[in-house]
Amino acid sequence: MRRCLFVFVLFLSTFASAGYYDGTEGLTGDALKAKLHSIIDGQKPLKYTQSGNTDWYDGVNIDVWEALVYTDSACPNDAPKCGLVQMLYLDDVRRIDQANRGKSNNDSWDREHVWPKSRGFKKQSQDGYTDLHHLRPADRNINGAHSNYGYGKGGDPFYDTLSDGSKVFSGTYVDKANESFEPTDRAKGQIARMVFYMAARYEIGDNTSPENMPDLRIVKGNQKQSGEPTIGDLCTLVAWNDEFPVSDFEKRRNDRVQELQGNRNPFIDHPEFVTAIWASKC
């Protein structure tokens, strides 16, 4: 039965993307990036927080909170409303009532902007602020440690504080001097593909209503917060995409995000697109 479910998930993902990338054949570099942008442009934005939306399973007035309960569900197929959500960085699940809605407990979870919102879209009216392809449930303390840093290797090990006050190594590293964050191995490939999505999705020309977004750019080397819509490190992210393959969870999530906002992450369907666009720069 488990194998049948696995095959069914793969079938759904393949079916959902059939024909979606027509016109990308033979393209590389900026030409491929531009074509992908034209394909994934114009998703339906959700509200970040919908006032009065207390039932996160009714499918009414869906906001980002409710969307993440669906896209990142840790529930089995035979109990889809079990109330559990998968964390991004940790091999851990949390209850939906542990969402950080003013509680700020050590065991609560946040809506993590994988591309930090201070790097190009500080306002909820900007489409990137609520783009589900880079919003993930994450442990509150690890989300805080990530801050608005870019991505790289090394730093000091970050110890997460548990609900009982004890501390445990989270698997992440923080380099405060260079404003760099190294996520856990389970998250590295996922983060790379989310960051590449954001760079392809938001391009020159998206700065007018309703998108109100700058051209998001991934740069080589460490990139401290400067007020510019940039993030690093390009070559580290390229390596993570290669080293940590797409998971079944990512594929299912890609399908579910498309259900809610209407577009897909091309780098989950075709991780080789990362190599075709960016690898030559490394």
Side-chain angles (χ1 to χ4, degrees):
M1 180 63 180
R2 188 182 299 270
R3 177 173 173 78
C4 291
L5 288 174
F6 171 73
V7 172
F8 183 63
V9 169
L10 289 181
F11 171 77
L12 284 179
S13 185
T14 302
F15 178 78
S17 60
Y20 193 77
Y21 300 105
D22 287 352
T24 61
E25 300 82 359
L27 298 181
T28 60
D30 290 341
L32 175 56
K33 186 166 174 273
K35 180 60 180 178
L36 292 177
H37 172 73
S38 71
I39 292 171
I40 63 178
D41 192 17
Q43 82 273 9
K44 174 187 175 182
L46 301 179
K47 282 190 175 295
Y48 193 57
T49 302
Q50 177 68 52
S51 178
N53 185 22
T54 57
D55 185 343
W56 291 352
Y57 281 120
D58 64 359
V60 178
N61 295 322
I62 298 176
D63 59 9
V64 169
W65 286 117
E66 182 171 347
L68 293 182
V69 167
Y70 175 59
T71 60
D72 294 75
S73 171
C75 299
N77 291 335
D78 59 352
K81 297 183 179 181
C82 74
L84 297 177
V85 182
Q86 175 64 52
M87 297 298 98
L88 170 61
Y89 301 113
L90 304 174
D91 186 13
D92 187 23
V93 299
R94 303 285 166 84
R95 302 186 312 275
I96 62 174
D97 63 7
Q98 291 174 284
N100 186 16
R101 306 186 79 185
K103 298 178 181 179
S104 300
N105 297 326
N106 285 321
D107 62 352
S108 60
W109 59 272
D110 282 331
R111 297 168 290 184
E112 163 79 295
H113 289 82
V114 171
W115 187 299
K117 57 184 180 290
S118 62
R119 292 176 178 263
F121 43 95
K122 295 181 179 180
K123 299 179 180 179
Q124 294 186 25
S125 58
Q126 296 176 274
D127 277 7
Y129 200 104
T130 59
D131 194 322
L132 296 174
H133 280 299
H134 86 118
L135 279 162
R136 298 292 295 272
D139 175 85
R140 167 185 173 265
N141 296 328
I142 300 177
N143 180 36
H146 173 210
S147 185
N148 58 12
Y149 295 169
Y151 298 100
K153 296 180 179 179
D156 296 323
F158 175 71
Y159 287 84
D160 187 18
T161 303
L162 304 182
S163 57
D164 63 3
S166 63
K167 292 183 179 293
V168 63
F169 176 48
S170 66
T172 66
Y173 297 84
V174 180
D175 185 344
K176 291 185 178 180
N178 292 309
E179 298 184 7
S180 176
F181 178 76
E182 180 178 352
T184 57
D185 285 354
R186 67 174 286 112
K188 284 174 179 173
Q190 299 180 61
I191 283 172
R193 288 179 280 275
M194 287 185 276
V195 171
F196 288 124
Y197 162 85
M198 293 294 283
R201 170 61 189 88
Y202 300 105
E203 298 271 312
I204 295 173
D206 290 340
N207 59 330
T208 57
S209 181
E211 293 168 298
N212 302 309
M213 287 291 293
D215 176 21
L216 300 183
R217 306 185 307 279
I218 311 172
V219 298
K220 292 178 67 175
N222 182 60
Q223 179 69 29
K224 291 186 176 183
Q225 169 70 352
S226 63
E228 294 297 314
T230 57
I231 200 169
D233 168 49
L234 172 63
C235 298
T236 297
L237 293 166
V238 169
W240 288 349
N241 175 66
D242 291 339
E243 186 176 352
F244 301 96
V246 176
S247 66
D248 294 333
F249 182 86
E250 283 180 272
K251 293 175 183 177
R252 189 195 74 172
R253 190 178 195 279
N254 205 16
D255 294 339
R256 292 187 172 190
V257 172
Q258 185 182 24
E259 287 180 45
L260 296 178
Q261 69 176 40
N263 68 345
R264 300 183 66 79
N265 181 338
F267 307 105
I268 293 174
D269 294 324
H270 293 279
E272 71 275 11
F273 284 167
V274 171
T275 300
I277 296 173
W278 284 284
S280 63
K281 300 177 182 179
C282 294

